[in-house]
Each structure stands twice: as C-alpha cells, then as structure tokens.
Amino acid sequence: MVPHLVTALTGPINELEQRILESTPVIERWFRLEWMEHTPPFYSSVDVRNAGFKLAPVDTNLYPGGWNHLTPEMMPLAVQAAMAAIEKICPEAKNLLLIPENSTDTFYLSNLLQLQRIFYQAGLNVRLGSLSKDVTSSTTIDLPGGESVILEPLVRSKRRLGLKHFDPCTILLNNDLSAGVPGMLEDLHEQYLLPPLHAGWATRRKSNHFKAYEEVSKRFGKLLGMDHWLINPMFNQCGEVDFSQDSGLECLRSNTDALLGKVRRKYKEYGINEKPFVVIKADNGTDGMGVMTVRDVKELDALTPMVRERMAQAKAGKVVSEVIIQEGVLTNERINRAVAEPVVYMMDRYVVGGFYRVHAERGVDENLSGPGSSFVPLAFEQSSQMPQPGMKPGASVPNRFYMYGVIGRLAMLAASYELEATDPDAEQYD
C-alpha cells in the first residue's frame, strides 16, 4: 500500500495537477518530439518538493544510487527501460562493466546488486570493476540479506577497459567523479562510457543544469498556459567563494538578498503567507554536504566557525569555491509526521519508479539528504505513470505520481540540454 501522505491539495497545485491531467496527450506528444531531438541521460533521479502552492525539482542526479529502495513491482519497468537504453547504444552488447563508488556501505552495495539484477534481466552479463586501489583481486562482500557482491580490479589496455577475461562493450558509471576523472577512464575510443565524463562533478555545475531547466520550464509553461514559476526554482550563482577565508561573501550576500526579494514578490503575487528562504549549496555536487538554509541575508554575517567549516568542503574533500543560491521550496508532505520528499527514478526516457526520502529530525525548509534520512518505497498497485482521467486532482494515487513523473522528466530533459551544451567534443563544431 502507499504510505499515507499529508499533502496540501488546495490552491495552485490543485489547478496545476488538474491542468497536467487534462493535458496528458499534449504533454506526452511534447516529450515524444523532444526525445526525437535530444538524447536522455542513461539514467537519472530527481528530488522533487511539493510546497502545496509549487512543485519543483531541487536536485538532479546523473549517477543515481538507491536503486535498492525501489519495490519489486517496479522491476519490470526498469528492465524494459534498460533494454530500450542498451538497444539504442549498443544493440549487440552482451557484457556490461559497472564501475561503482569506492564505498563499502551495505546500503550502497545493495544498490549495485539491484542494478546488476536489472541489467542481467535485460540480457547482459554484468560485473563490477572497482577504481579503488584497495581492490587488487576478486573481493566478495556479504550483504545483510544473505546475498553478496563481487568487486574486481579494473584492467586497462591501450584502447579498452575491462576486467581479467571480461571485455565489455559498454561501461556504466555509478560513480559521480567528485574526486576527479581517473586517467583509465579517458581515451576509450572503442567502448561506450555512460554517462559521459563531462556529466561528472569534476566538470558539471548545478547552475548549468538549472539554467537549462528554466528554459525547459518556460517552454512547458507556455505549452500549458501557466506561470512556469509554479514548477521552477529560481536561482543565482557565485563563482569565487571561500568560506574559510571570508572571501567572495559579498557576492553571496548580494545574490542571496536579490533572490529573496524575487521570491517575496512571487509570494505576494500568489498570496502565500510563508517566509521565503533560499538554499545555498556547492555548485558541483553535494551528497548532502555543504548545504545551508538562509531566510535573511543577515544570517550570512553571523556564520559560526562550524558552519563555515561545513560549507567549505564538499564530497571527496573538495574545497567549495562555487555555490548556487537556489529558491527554497517547502515540502508539505509527511509520512508518519516526518517530513518527506518524493524522489523520481528514470532510465532512458522512462519513469521507472521512486521512493520518499524521509527525515524525522529536519524541518519543511531543510535539506533531507544526509545522516538520519530513511526511505519509504512508492508502493502502489497500478503503474506510477498511468493517470486516471476524470478523477479529481489528488484523489487518485497514480494521478499524483504522474505529476511527479512529469516534473522528473522535465528535469531529465534539462539534463539532456545541459549535457549537450557542455559537451567538450561538440564545441569543436560550434
């Protein structure tokens, strides 16, 4: 059964949901035409926030973990999507090399096991090749449920990457490259590397993604005849910030103040009686690190040493020098009184499932990704994508999840735009 949700079902979101449901044929045709022109990321996940008056993505992950949180009912969708994705890239593929994060966390390893299952059922031999220098031979790690995963050392030849006695057509990264691009992943001229290297956090920037998303949301808003702000988190960006040395903070103050002002005007326009806030986070990935909520620009003048230290470092010990200042979107959803947000999972251009990220110790205006968070599957009896025409907004669970799926796919389309715009090979032809 679906976890009980407490969600605001009145106001603009109700209208937005109704408009989306009534426009399903128009929306699906629009996506179909977009995918004729653009290539979706191989897989992705999108964190969505439902404020009751606004529904928007706040983060898009191109190396999603957490596949183990999807329910068994979602497996057929994931397998079909994996088949479609592989057929487009390498139809004759029989071997897939999956390169994970250097993590021995059992939840993360369970995610790898689930990915192995999906691609095995899609018709591929799947093995795990580790970038870790500690993995020098085949290493079996047991998981709590009695299952296990096997990590193997990578073997690099002049033009190919694989394992001992295992030569893959396709290499799938489940490692976001926060620590940089390893040399052995470069110059692979005869193999497909997914996602491409410029999708990793060594080069990717959230501000590029949300710039692309703003463009997508404007076009979608025009298609449906609505204000795109209802699905778009506004943002600013600062490129040279040093929290440890207090440098670049004037850029942070002025951009934070300007964005808070824009949000206040929107709240006034819609009669929203909430206090606006922004979320400041590292522009090149966070993994829940280097994130803070600001409701008044004066708060930036009173940062404690502990907050400065936390904001100065991102994943893999990287120093934060670029930040995105994003309009904060409240979450009005609860599971057992704990604050929750939906996370939508996609492979190729298809929504394949998702779950709720829940955090009992965080507020409605705080980041829910981090220690203490838990995951509740979006378990349902019918497909997450199939809306039920004629039902009232919010009355049907598939209707609500269809709306989340539309927002997730808009973010995925924005990621497609983003990767095209930042492709280093494409620049040669501009």
Side-chain angles (χ1 to χ4, degrees):
M1 290 297 292
V2 178
H4 177 67
L5 294 179
V6 179
T7 308
L9 292 178
T10 57
I13 273 291
N14 216 15
E15 288 178 37
L16 174 61
E17 192 169 10
Q18 186 72 54
R19 191 164 299 186
I20 285 176
L21 292 172
E22 290 172 350
S23 306
T24 298
V26 174
I27 292 169
E28 295 305 322
R29 177 179 181 272
W30 184 78
F31 274 123
R32 193 162 61 246
L33 294 176
E34 287 291 329
W35 296 129
M36 289 174 68
E37 299 291 331
H38 305 281
T39 302
F42 186 82
Y43 57 3
S44 56
S45 68
V46 177
D47 297 351
V48 179
R49 305 275 286 206
N50 180 359
F53 54 83
K54 177 172 186 152
L55 182 75
V58 293
D59 206 12
T60 301
N61 188 352
L62 300 183
Y63 301 86
W67 290 91
N68 52 309
H69 298 305
L70 273 58
T71 62
E73 292 84 0
M74 295 172 182
M75 279 292 283
L77 281 173
V79 171
Q80 287 177 335
M83 285 178 174
I86 291 293
E87 282 170 14
K88 283 197 301 190
I89 296 157
C90 185
E92 69 277 13
K94 64 176 183 178
N95 292 337
L96 176 75
L97 175 61
L98 180 57
I99 299 181
E101 299 273 353
N102 294 339
S103 172
T104 55
D105 177 79
T106 54
F107 282 106
Y108 177 70
L109 295 177
S110 297
N111 149 74
L112 297 179
L113 187 64
Q114 183 79 318
L115 279 172
Q116 279 189 293
R117 283 196 198 101
I118 290 169
F119 289 108
Y120 177 81
Q121 292 185 38
L124 293 164
N125 300 312
V126 189
R127 285 164 69 175
L128 303 177
S130 176
L131 288 164
S132 173
K133 293 177 181 177
D134 297 330
V135 178
T136 56
S137 61
S138 180
T139 304
T140 301
I141 303 176
D142 294 326
L143 299 178
E147 296 174 298
S148 62
V149 295
I150 300 173
L151 298 176
E152 300 178 71
L154 292 166
V155 177
R156 173 70 197 243
S157 64
K158 186 176 180 181
R159 297 176 69 81
R160 297 182 76 82
L161 180 65
L163 307 174
K164 188 176 180 180
H165 307 310
F166 187 78
D167 186 30
C169 158
T170 305
I171 300 167
L172 178 62
L173 292 175
N174 197 240
N175 181 316
D176 63 16
L177 306 179
S178 289
V181 178
M184 68 166 57
L185 296 182
E186 297 179 319
D187 302 318
L188 296 173
H189 300 293
E190 300 174 351
Q191 290 171 303
Y192 296 95
L193 181 66
L194 304 166
L197 291 178
H198 68 281
W201 288 123
T203 50
R204 188 181 178 220
R205 296 293 179 267
K206 290 177 184 287
S207 51
N208 287 334
H209 174 73
F210 283 101
K211 181 180 178 182
Y213 183 81
E214 184 174 36
E215 179 187 340
V216 168
S217 67
K218 283 179 179 177
R219 293 181 55 227
F220 188 78
K222 188 175 181 181
L223 180 77
L224 267 60
M226 66 177 207
D227 182 356
H228 76 282
W229 175 75
L230 295 171
I231 58 170
N232 177 55
M234 298 185 289
F235 75 95
N236 282 331
Q237 189 256 357
C238 284
E240 293 183 12
V241 176
D242 187 337
F243 286 97
S244 61
Q245 300 295 325
D246 271 1
S247 64
L249 294 189
E250 190 48 50
C251 171
L252 193 59
R253 290 186 192 94
S254 60
N255 279 285
T256 297
D257 198 34
L259 186 56
L260 282 168
K262 287 169 74 174
V263 179
R264 281 189 205 99
R265 288 191 288 276
K266 274 295 181 182
Y267 278 22
K268 186 175 181 181
E269 178 185 339
Y270 281 93
I272 296 163
N273 296 317
E274 298 284 354
K275 187 174 178 62
F277 67 100
V278 299
V279 178
I280 298 172
K281 47 192 173 183
D283 203 8
N284 60 333
T286 60
D287 202 32
M289 300 173 67
V291 180
M292 68 176 171
T293 299
V294 174
R295 300 163 193 80
D296 191 307
V297 73
K298 292 176 183 175
E299 294 172 30
L300 295 175
D301 296 323
L303 297 180
T304 65
M306 188 169 71
V307 171
R308 288 177 189 275
E309 184 180 350
R310 177 165 55 82
M311 291 300 298
Q313 281 200 337
K315 187 178 173 184
K318 290 295 181 181
V319 175
V320 174
S321 60
E322 301 170 77
V323 299
I324 181 173
I325 306 141
Q326 190 177 63
E327 174 191 351
V329 182
L330 296 166
T331 177
N332 236 339
E333 305 207 49
R334 307 282 187 285
I335 293 179
N336 299 328
R337 299 184 182 177
V339 175
E341 65 185 9
V343 184
V344 179
Y345 271 62
M346 291 159 290
M347 193 171 291
D348 194 60
R349 59 186 180 142
Y350 305 103
V351 174
V352 298
F355 53 80
Y356 280 97
R357 181 183 288 114
V358 185
H359 205 305
E361 297 172 11
R362 299 274 172 95
V364 295
D365 58 355
E366 290 184 289
N367 172 43
L368 303 188
S369 178
S373 60
S374 58
F375 307 93
V376 177
L378 296 181
F380 39 76
E381 296 167 5
Q382 297 145 334
S383 165
S384 62
Q385 277 190 274
M386 294 295 103
Q388 297 180 1
M391 294 288 284
K392 291 180 180 179
S396 162
V397 167
N399 285 357
R400 175 54 44 84
F401 295 144
Y402 176 73
M403 188 167 71
Y404 292 156
V406 168
I407 298 300
R409 284 184 288 165
L410 289 174
M412 175 170 56
L413 180 59
S416 172
Y417 284 28
E418 170 199 358
L419 292 179
E420 288 169 13
T422 56
D423 185 348
D425 296 325
E427 289 174 5
Q428 298 170 13
Y429 307 102
D430 288 348

